[in-house]
Amino acid sequence: MEDRLLLGQTLAFTGDPFVEGPGAARHDPHGAVFIRDGKIADLGPADRLRAAHPQAAIVDHGADLILPGFIDAHAHYPQTAIIASWGKRLIDWLTTYTFPEEMRFADPDHAARTARRYLDLTLAHGTTTVASYCTIHPASVDAFFAEAETRGLRALAGKTCMDRDTAPEGLRDTAQSAYDDSKRLLEKWHGRGRLEYVITPRFSPTSTPAQLAALGALWAEHPDCLMQTHLSEQTDEIAWVRSLYPDARDYLDTYEAHGLLGPNAVFGHAIHLTPREVDRLTEAGAALVHCPTSNTFIGSGLFDMTLAPKLRVGLATDTGGGSSFSMLRTMAAAYEIAQLRGQALHPSRLLWLATQGSAKALNLHDKIGTLAPGMEADLIALDLASTPAIAQRHARANDIWEAIFPTIMMGDDRAIAATYVAGRPVG
Ligand code: GUN
Ligand code: ZN
């Protein structure tokens, strides 16, 4: 691949803004990113990089802001077609909309079509990595990974496992088949190119203890894999877990007791946590994923962002419980939820969550999510004046954070001027 030199504004974090404070970033209004062999090979002022790399093909992004591609740390690609389904809370939403749609993934063509449409949408929204749930059907995993591989994406996914009679007929596996299918898919896809398999029990209410134990055993055999699931999203769900697992100390304990807690565990939502759960998650070094548009859309509750940086926290759409494919819209919702809790999230923290924070939650921060030499060149160019409403507010900005914030709050796919996957432009 030809060397490329992208010119534009650049913004690189110099530390975790939840630890170092909101200003922990270096902004260069005339910056450049030098790409060689799919990776960022140099970063700095445009003048210096032009002189240092005269052979590179120049792509001038003008005043657009070059950032790492967004990382969506929790999504359900099979729910693409039921996004924005009206009027239900979690359990009814699952039974009314989600499970019937997921049944359609028994058809591999439906899975392939949806994977294609989903990745078209996420890339158009500047998202270059997602960690997706699939359905119980192994072919739904093959469809997702095949499409991600064709596009050269760094992507994570797993077969969603459900064997309890709380899941409908036609959408149930068994403890043994979940173990066998997950193992086969893991051996097929994990570490193939840029792909990673994620062990994926849907959540405790749709698994028997035997299935959770089987997946715990599989994880013990492959501890380098991530394990993703849902935790304490809605109060009704927590009461349901209590009735299904009467011996468990709390919701987290249903996972912990079956070997499903550790530093590679990624828990979606995690809103209504007890002090014991927070302590155990912290001791275990597990990650949480905040899904703000989902939490307001399904009426789940307000995530406590003060858990960062004690715990690693990523950001996600939770498509299609979430109401948008856009990580910009997702940052806006995270801002609004924090406001309702009396916390104002600085734009640097929002951007960090959508890039390096999610990368850290997925233990991929040595590869993606940061604008720095050695990182894979998954990048976007963000137009900070993409609509008249945003442009007129942007015109009044006094610093880079004020310049970005209107796009965070009001931006969508129109703000994504360009997307690069491993250094190659998309589209
Ligand atoms: N809990 C279990 N499954 C799901 C799902 O598909 N979406 C959301 N938001 N929560 C869940
Ligand atoms: Zn989810």
Side-chain angles (χ1 to χ4, degrees):
M1 200 199 322
E2 188 182 26
D3 292 347
R4 273 201 183 89
L5 187 62
L6 313 187
L7 308 181
Q9 302 197 64
T10 56
L11 185 69
F13 288 104
T14 53
D16 177 346
F18 286 93
V19 178
E20 314 282 330
R26 192 176 309 115
H27 169 236
D28 192 333
H30 302 287
V33 181
F34 176 61
I35 301 170
R36 173 170 285 172
D37 298 332
K39 291 195 171 172
I40 300 173
D42 201 356
L43 177 76
D47 290 347
R48 181 176 74 72
L49 265 63
R50 269 177 183 273
H53 309 288
Q55 82 293 355
I58 289 185
V59 186
D60 190 350
H61 286 292
D64 292 351
L65 180 66
I66 300 170
L67 291 173
F70 297 134
I71 301 171
D72 186 344
H74 178 127
H76 300 254
Y77 95 84
Q79 297 170 15
T80 298
I82 56 136
I83 194 168
S85 290
W86 186 86
K88 304 287 181 188
R89 288 168 60 84
L90 177 61
I91 298 165
D92 281 351
W93 174 84
L94 285 170
T95 53
T96 308
Y97 298 117
T98 311
F99 291 157
E101 176 61 20
E102 292 194 8
M103 279 195 209
R104 298 181 63 182
F105 285 71
D107 172 6
D109 290 340
H110 182 70
R113 270 195 308 275
T114 308
R116 208 173 307 129
R117 190 190 316 155
Y118 173 73
L119 291 174
D120 282 347
L121 285 164
T122 49
L123 284 167
H125 285 84
T127 298
T128 47
T129 288
V130 300
S132 184
Y133 289 61
C134 300
T135 65
I136 67 150
H137 313 96
S140 73
V141 180
D142 288 330
F144 179 82
F145 276 137
E147 193 60 40
E149 186 173 55
T150 300
R151 298 169 193 240
L153 295 171
R154 183 161 285 287
L156 306 90
K159 176 193 127 72
T160 296
C161 299
M162 306 198 268
D163 72 331
R164 243 192 216 256
D165 59 7
T166 45
E169 180 74 40
L171 210 54
R172 283 201 296 266
D173 49 18
T174 66
Q176 189 63 46
S177 74
Y179 174 90
D180 293 341
D181 288 343
S182 300
K183 184 178 167 71
R184 199 170 39 75
L185 290 162
L186 189 160
E187 285 167 355
K188 179 173 179 184
W189 292 109
H190 189 61
R192 173 161 149 180
R194 304 185 76 197
L195 308 176
E196 281 198 16
Y197 190 81
V198 188
I199 295 168
T200 309
R202 181 178 215 114
F203 66 158
S204 292
T206 46
S207 287
T208 61
Q211 179 168 81
L212 295 181
L215 294 173
L218 180 62
W219 198 25
E221 292 161 29
H222 300 276
D224 63 310
C225 277
L226 297 182
M227 188 287 303
Q228 63 183 353
T229 191
H230 297 85
L231 176 67
S232 296
E233 180 177 358
Q234 272 196 6
T235 51
D236 293 358
E237 170 207 13
I238 295 166
W240 196 24
V241 170
R242 200 175 299 125
S243 72
L244 293 171
Y245 293 83
D247 297 334
R249 286 171 289 185
D250 45 41
Y251 196 158
L252 182 67
D253 197 32
T254 64
Y255 297 124
E256 188 175 355
H258 298 101
L260 295 171
L261 177 62
N264 276 340
V266 183
F267 293 102
H269 303 287
I271 299 169
H272 309 282
L273 299 175
T274 65
R276 191 204 83 89
E277 288 175 311
V278 172
D279 287 349
R280 280 301 295 135
L281 288 161
T282 308
E283 276 167 24
L288 307 184
V289 181
H290 180 23
C291 307
T293 73
S294 171
N295 297 159
T296 51
F297 183 76
I298 312 185
S300 300
L302 309 178
F303 182 83
D304 180 6
M305 194 48 83
T306 63
L307 291 170
K310 188 158 89 139
L311 282 150
R312 285 174 294 131
V313 177
L315 190 67
T317 61
D318 190 31
T319 303
S323 55
S324 175
F325 294 97
S326 168
M327 289 296 286
L328 290 168
R329 175 73 202 107
T330 303
M331 286 180 241
Y335 180 78
E336 289 161 351
I337 285 181
Q339 282 285 63
L340 287 169
R341 294 190 69 113
Q343 305 150 10
L345 273 178
H346 190 269
S348 63
R349 292 182 169 169
L350 294 164
L351 274 179
W352 187 88
L353 283 169
T355 54
Q356 204 173 322
S358 280
K360 284 197 158 166
L362 301 174
N363 279 333
L364 285 173
H365 50 285
D366 59 336
K367 297 185 175 69
I368 54 171
T370 304
L371 209 56
M375 306 300 285
E376 295 169 355
D378 292 345
L379 302 166
I380 57 172
L382 199 60
D383 176 357
L384 299 180
S386 60
T387 69
I390 296 172
Q392 59 90 38
R393 178 64 186 87
H394 175 261
R396 292 273 192 96
N398 292 309
D399 62 26
I400 184 62
W401 303 117
E402 264 192 60
I404 292 171
F405 195 53
T407 291
I408 290 178
M409 292 310 299
M410 298 191 282
D412 53 30
D413 50 331
R414 290 169 290 181
I416 311 301
T419 303
Y420 294 85
V421 171
R424 293 182 198 277
V426 173

